[in-house]
Amino acid sequence: MGFLPLSFGLPAVLAGLLALPVIWWLLRLTPPKPQTEAFPPLKILARVLRKEETPHQSPWWLTLLRLAMAALIIFALAEPVFNPRERISTGGNAVAIVIDNGWASAPDWAMRVASAERLIADAQAENAPVLIAFTVDAPNAEIGPFDAEAARERLNAAEARPVPVDRAATYERVAQALAELPNTSVAVLSDGLASEADDAAFDRLLANAGGLIWATPQGVTEIGLTATANEPDAFVVEAVRPTADAGPRQAVVAALDDRGRRIAEAQLSFGAGEAAATAAFAVPFELRNDFNSVAVDGEAQAGAVRVLDENSRRRRVGLIAQGDGDEAQPLLSPLHYISRALAPFADLVEPSSADLGSAIPELLEQRPAMIVMADVGTLPDEAHAALTEWVEGGGTLVRFAGPRLAAAEPDEDLLPVRLRIGERALGGTLSWTEPQAIAEYPQGSPFADLTPPADVTVSRQVLAEPTADIVERSWVNLADGTPLVTGARRGDGTLALFHITPQATWSNLPISGSFVELLRRLVQLSRNQGPGNAQTGNGEATLPPYRLIAADGSLVPPTPDARPLAVSTEAAVTIENPPGLYGTEEGVVAHNLLPQDATLEPIARPETPLAVRDVAYGFDEQVDLRGPLFAIALALMILDTLAVLWLGGKLRRPRAARAVPAALALALIGAISMPDAHAQAQGEETDIQPGDEEAIAAISQTRIAYVLTGDSSIDAISRAGLEGLGRFLSAKTALEPGEPVGVDIAVDELAFYPLIYWPIDEGSEMPSQAALARIDAYMQDGGTVLFDTRDQFGAGFDAGSASPSTMRLRDILANMNVPPLEPVPDDHVLTKAFYILPEFPGRFNGSPLWVEASQTVEEMADRPVRVGDGVTPIMITANDLAGAWAIGGNGAPMLPTVPADPMQRVYAYRAGVNIMMYMLTGNYKSDQVHVPSILERLGQ
């Protein structure tokens, strides 16, 4: 029995409310406990005129309090539930839950899990086993049957995946399991989108089922990106949505760079009843070249993201000429002006050989977007066939005329038009014509929106044979109507021919700005044919995963189950090859989720003679009220106890009887509102976050840090040594450092300390890659690490036979970006930072102090101090500096020097002072030597 939004698990208990009148009658007849008082005669005489009676029944407010307490207990025993949900009865021997966890389920995955949890809870109430399967899962994944707890663990371990669902394979596995569990209820929790062969798969799934529970989202509103195109005037994105009968819808598509920064956006508009739309980024080509991905705002799923590779960015262009030209006269080289025009916006590749038979295959192996041939006549047969196949497969071939091409036999396969043998001269001594200017670009030409140059003329050209389609193939014409640039399609590729040479011999076009515009437009029309550095294994080109698209549409590092992508064929998006970028930093290939011809259609409930129950996704919002009701009843019981004590005289106060009802009411309100008040008090706490006090203490005073090695004796010497150095600094300099700090390089913040002392111990655990990366970042940001192997009597840092500590240091530095090193030169700033020091001893003497090598080969003659700006990020010694600095509680040295020379310890302290002064002041000593020269020049 129940009524919304409140229901009761045991409604029969509510009959106990009928006993409330009896309880009220009993409470009214129960007088309070008589008050006991002493028998002073004077007090009796004082009250002799008062009429004092003992009440024969409880006060009305106490009776009301007890009735409320009894009613609350009755309501609690009836198991009340606020906003109850309807229990879904499995109605069979078991329940099989099939859940779509593909890309379309990511936005409402938490709601889908909550719905599945309700089904598991209802199956548990009926002691029914549970089968649970996911449509994006490994073929060998276990599907049950499970008990309720195991099914919940399986459900909580699952997640949405950025790949299409495979319902056919999943339904087949569940159908095989149901053959041994007849009369099982099947619950299908779909993502709302139809896939191929759904009807046949449903038939196999429901063959042995006892009933169907069907769950779909309330509305299917996903937007998927299917294609991108970097057109000459804009970057175009194509998108689809699930239904064609929906109303108008608008969305914003954002373009992101390789760091995820938003650099452009465009409007995506679906008209009423339209299932497809396009968005255009009308931004400069240079900005479009930085697009790394495009994504639809507000769509937290992988289908709304599309990554871009070289085909959408900078193109590879191969250059080839039949003659090398004169190196002494580069302006006459056939590729000089082409290279200058293409270099700012294309990657240029040239063959290592001038032989066309080997040069053309070498270029084709680089998979260029476009190949430019300057005055190339007849091609070898094998090169001709390979180049023709490349063009028909999508390549762009741009050819320039010249004497060789003019004298060669016409080649219809690799030329957009048939050419006449020979060339046409304009404006020569034997010609009646003048050099021709360039006419307006024809409509339909790739250059139609460009402005033709007014100062360009052509004095010589090769002529095309007049044909019926010569007008359509003419992209640029001269003023007399003869073609200057022709073009045509060949398969999926493009052929273009400049009827002049690429040098400024037949025309001054190559030395004009229009030449750059024309070539740039042709590059924009081209497409890279693939990565140039694919790895080869087992005869198949593969690329490792580089950046992958997560289920929520974000770009993440490769997951452990991702495998290299085979680029020789159109690879499908699977768990092993999820969508994303494959390759390396040198080049990547985009592997996107939705193909260009993808459509999104809502899924239809299968036609079946079984009993079907439709349920909606949603969170379980029901609230069990038993706990709150029992808590309130307990609070009322405490108030009743206090009231009885007060009536018995234990808690009575003078002239307070009339205020008791109000006091009890206030106490009840306070008991109920206490959690809110506590929460409010917590919300009003100070804004200081955990760790802020340590950070403030670390930066309020200069401190030296040391690395905690895990060996208590080594760490104690490091701390004592830095304390001793701190005392010496306070006594000899204006610096008063704070207490030294031991840091764990894996977790502690390192940026607070200018210098970190790291004693190397071969017995300590090797730092993790993440910890070494933090040390590397610390040094790159301006910090310095002083490595001390403390093994001067073992082996030197660069010795052939190294000590264990030195070998451990080498292992550490092998995983870091360490600059070139050198022993401290005699003219280094470190030798003059405070004291004049020829060496840097510690407990031992003899090991040099290694620092970053000077980057300047030649120093100025009047600059005696080397290493100009900056401070070395690394120092290495084996002299055990901390051992020489360490002092005990009585101020005496803790360790002897070797040899036992008192001045060696003094020089060790001075070495520490110079290191600290150098760290804190940099190259100020180097700058000081220039003061006289600067003052002299200012005087002039």
Side-chain angles (χ1 to χ4, degrees):
M1 187 182 90
F3 52 89
L4 291 177
L6 188 66
S7 69
F8 295 90
L10 298 174
V13 178
L14 295 177
L17 295 175
L18 299 176
L20 288 181
V22 179
I23 297 174
W24 172 81
W25 183 74
L26 292 174
L27 292 176
R28 292 285 292 176
L29 293 181
T30 303
K33 181 180 179 181
Q35 181 177 346
T36 303
E37 292 188 2
F39 187 69
L42 294 178
K43 195 170 187 74
I44 295 176
L45 293 175
R47 296 179 179 178
V48 70
L49 297 179
R50 298 181 182 179
K51 185 178 181 181
E52 191 76 22
E53 295 180 357
T54 299
H56 68 281
Q57 59 186 11
S58 298
W60 68 267
W61 51 267
L62 184 59
T63 302
L64 182 61
L65 180 67
R66 292 175 176 176
L67 288 177
M69 182 170 55
L72 288 173
I73 293 175
I74 293 172
F75 272 102
L77 293 176
E79 297 183 2
V81 176
F82 178 76
N83 197 15
R85 67 173 179 85
E86 188 177 1
R87 177 172 294 180
I88 302 175
S89 177
T90 56
N93 298 327
V95 59
I97 305 175
V98 183
I99 306 175
D100 283 344
N101 62 328
W103 64 271
S105 64
D108 60 348
W109 177 248
M111 189 179 299
R112 198 179 311 269
V113 170
S115 302
E117 286 179 345
R118 292 201 300 272
L119 290 172
I120 295 174
D122 294 339
Q124 183 179 16
E126 299 181 4
N127 295 322
V130 178
L131 290 87
I132 184 168
F134 300 91
T135 54
V136 178
D137 216 337
N140 58 350
E142 181 65 29
I143 64 173
F146 305 107
D147 57 22
E149 291 301 324
R152 287 192 183 95
E153 293 178 1
R154 180 90 168 85
L155 176 64
N156 294 330
E159 60 183 1
R161 308 297 291 269
V163 298
V165 298
D166 187 1
R167 294 195 181 107
T170 305
Y171 290 170
E172 183 66 30
R173 293 168 52 210
V174 177
Q176 294 176 2
L178 294 184
E180 302 177 1
L181 292 171
N183 195 28
T184 296
S185 294
V186 176
V188 176
L189 280 62
S190 72
D191 57 17
L193 294 179
S195 62
E196 296 181 0
D198 276 350
D199 295 337
F202 276 128
D203 293 340
R204 292 192 298 271
L205 175 65
L206 302 178
N208 296 317
L212 176 62
I213 300 172
W214 181 258
T216 55
Q218 294 290 343
V220 186
T221 60
E222 290 86 352
I223 294 178
L225 301 182
T226 57
T228 58
N230 200 349
E231 302 294 344
D233 55 347
F235 189 92
V236 179
V237 179
E238 298 180 10
V240 294
R241 62 173 176 171
T243 180
D245 58 358
R249 183 180 178 186
Q250 292 186 342
V252 175
V253 182
L256 311 175
D257 64 4
D258 56 353
R259 297 185 180 181
R261 296 174 298 190
R262 190 186 191 96
I263 57 177
E265 63 180 31
Q267 192 75 19
L268 186 67
S269 298
F270 291 92
E274 292 182 355
T278 59
F281 294 87
V283 296
F285 174 74
E286 291 79 6
L287 186 60
R288 284 183 268 149
N289 217 18
D290 292 334
F291 289 2
N292 187 70
S293 63
V294 289
V296 181
D297 286 351
E299 293 285 328
Q301 40 91 3
V305 178
R306 199 162 186 88
V307 292
L308 309 174
D309 54 15
E310 288 84 354
N311 285 334
S312 301
R313 299 192 194 92
R314 190 176 177 94
R315 313 287 194 262
R316 285 190 301 277
V317 177
L319 303 181
I320 187 169
Q322 201 161 1
D324 294 336
D326 188 357
E327 295 183 359
Q329 298 180 357
L331 297 181
L332 300 180
S333 171
L335 297 178
H336 174 75
Y337 295 104
I338 298 175
S339 301
R340 295 289 299 273
L342 293 176
F345 49 87
D347 295 326
L348 305 181
V349 292
E350 296 187 40
S352 57
S353 172
D355 179 30
L356 295 178
S358 59
I360 291 179
E362 182 181 348
L363 283 182
L364 295 180
E365 289 179 358
Q366 299 295 323
R367 300 175 179 265
M370 187 171 79
I371 292 179
V372 180
M373 295 198 308
D375 191 19
V376 175
T378 304
L379 297 174
D381 292 341
E382 294 184 359
H384 183 277
L387 194 59
T388 302
E389 181 181 359
W390 173 80
V391 172
E392 293 178 350
T396 299
L397 177 63
V398 179
R399 304 188 66 173
F400 281 84
R404 292 182 179 85
L405 182 62
E409 290 293 332
D411 186 358
E412 297 184 3
D413 292 339
L414 295 177
L415 287 173
V417 294
R418 176 184 291 273
L419 298 180
R420 292 182 178 180
I421 298 178
E423 57 191 59
R424 174 197 183 196
L426 302 171
T429 56
L430 300 179
S431 175
W432 292 96
T433 59
E434 296 291 333
Q436 294 292 310
I438 295 179
E440 293 289 333
Y441 296 138
Q443 293 296 326
S445 167
F447 317 121
D449 60 327
L450 300 179
T451 302
D455 55 349
V456 170
T457 58
V458 176
S459 59
R460 185 174 295 180
Q461 66 175 141
V462 292
L463 291 177
E465 291 284 357
T467 58
D469 57 354
I470 188 64
V471 176
E472 298 176 358
R473 301 189 180 193
S474 297
W475 290 357
V476 179
N477 293 325
L478 296 179
D480 61 0
T482 56
L484 178 63
V485 180
T486 55
R489 300 287 297 179
R490 286 290 188 275
D492 294 332
T494 303
L495 292 173
L497 171 65
F498 283 76
H499 292 238
I500 57 173
T501 60
Q503 310 100 308
T505 53
W506 288 15
S507 172
N508 60 349
L509 177 63
I511 61 175
S512 69
S514 295
F515 188 68
V516 178
E517 292 181 347
L518 297 178
L519 289 180
R520 177 177 178 177
R521 179 58 54 85
L522 291 175
V523 170
Q524 294 178 19
L525 295 174
S526 64
R527 288 288 184 273
N528 285 338
Q529 303 304 301
N533 57 346
Q535 299 177 359
T536 303
N538 300 325
E540 185 177 41
T542 59
L543 290 173
Y546 181 65
R547 291 289 185 273
L548 300 180
I549 302 177
D552 61 355
S554 60
L555 287 179
V556 297
T559 55
D561 53 355
R563 296 292 180 266
L565 177 71
V567 297
S568 59
T569 58
E570 289 294 333
V573 176
T574 62
I575 298 179
E576 294 184 346
N577 293 131
L581 296 171
Y582 288 78
T584 63
E585 293 182 355
E586 300 299 327
V588 292
V589 166
H591 186 49
N592 286 296
L593 177 64
L594 300 178
Q596 186 172 3
D597 58 349
T599 58
L600 304 180
E601 295 295 336
I603 193 171
R605 193 180 72 179
E607 296 294 335
T608 175
L610 299 175
V612 180
R613 182 168 184 178
D614 292 310
V615 297
Y617 289 133
F619 293 102
D620 192 353
E621 298 179 352
Q622 70 177 15
V623 179
D624 191 347
L625 297 180
R626 286 179 295 177
L629 290 179
F630 278 125
I632 297 175
L634 180 60
L636 294 181
M637 184 180 296
I638 295 174
L639 292 177
D640 181 85
T641 303
L642 295 177
V644 171
L645 292 176
W646 180 84
L647 291 175
K650 301 298 183 182
L651 302 177
R652 175 173 289 187
R653 291 184 181 180
R655 294 184 292 183
R658 291 176 292 178
V660 170
L664 292 178
L666 292 175
L668 177 60
I669 295 174
I672 296 175
S673 62
M674 186 177 299
D676 294 337
H678 179 65
Q680 183 178 3
Q682 287 183 336
E684 294 175 355
E685 290 179 357
T686 177
D687 291 333
I688 295 179
Q689 302 296 324
D692 288 355
E693 295 181 357
E694 291 81 359
I696 293 173
I699 63 176
S700 61
Q701 196 174 15
T702 301
R703 298 190 179 197
I704 312 174
Y706 62 94
V707 175
L708 296 173
T709 62
D711 189 328
S712 58
S713 60
I714 296 177
D715 296 341
I717 293 298
S718 298
R719 182 174 184 84
L722 296 183
E723 287 179 350
L725 177 61
R727 293 187 183 183
F728 192 87
L729 286 166
S730 300
K732 301 297 183 180
T733 70
L735 175 63
E736 296 182 1
E739 292 293 326
V741 180
V743 294
D744 183 353
I745 60 174
V747 296
D748 292 336
E749 178 57 54
L750 308 179
F752 300 140
Y753 313 106
L755 177 69
I756 297 178
Y757 176 80
W758 190 339
I760 303 299
D761 178 35
E762 67 275 13
S764 62
E765 185 178 357
M766 181 67 183
S768 64
Q769 291 293 335
L772 294 179
R774 298 179 81 245
I775 285 291
D776 207 354
Y778 165 78
M779 293 194 299
Q780 292 181 10
D781 292 339
T784 297
V785 180
L786 174 56
F787 295 92
D788 195 342
T789 58
R790 305 170 297 118
D791 59 348
Q792 193 274 329
F793 290 101
F797 177 68
D798 59 347
S801 177
S803 68
S805 295
T806 301
M807 293 300 297
R808 173 53 59 87
L809 177 60
R810 290 180 179 178
D811 294 340
I812 293 173
L813 298 183
N815 296 284
M816 301 170 61
N817 296 318
V818 179
L821 303 176
E822 66 177 357
V824 174
D826 296 337
D827 55 354
H828 196 278
V829 177
L830 270 170
T831 63
K832 305 170 177 63
F834 194 88
Y835 294 100
I836 304 298
L837 293 177
E839 56 188 3
F840 298 83
R843 280 190 64 217
F844 315 116
N845 193 6
S847 170
L849 178 63
W850 295 80
V851 296
E852 180 183 7
S854 174
Q855 299 299 315
T856 305
V857 178
E858 297 181 358
E859 296 292 335
M860 296 175 58
D862 60 345
R863 188 178 178 92
V865 183
R866 297 179 58 180
V867 184
D869 294 336
V871 176
T872 177
I874 183 173
M875 300 182 188
I876 301 176
T877 184
N879 287 335
D880 192 7
L881 292 175
W885 300 336
I887 57 175
N890 56 358
M894 296 178 63
L895 300 174
T897 60
V898 180
D901 183 3
M903 287 304 299
Q904 182 172 322
R905 193 181 305 277
V906 174
Y907 289 139
Y909 278 119
R910 292 180 178 179
V913 171
N914 273 27
I915 291 174
M916 284 303 299
M917 293 299 105
Y918 170 66
M919 287 303 307
L920 298 176
T921 61
N923 63 336
Y924 85 106
K925 285 287 186 180
S926 176
D927 294 334
Q928 290 299 312
V929 300
H930 289 286
V931 170
S933 177
I934 293 173
L935 294 177
E936 181 180 357
R937 293 180 181 179
L938 292 175
Q940 292 178 357

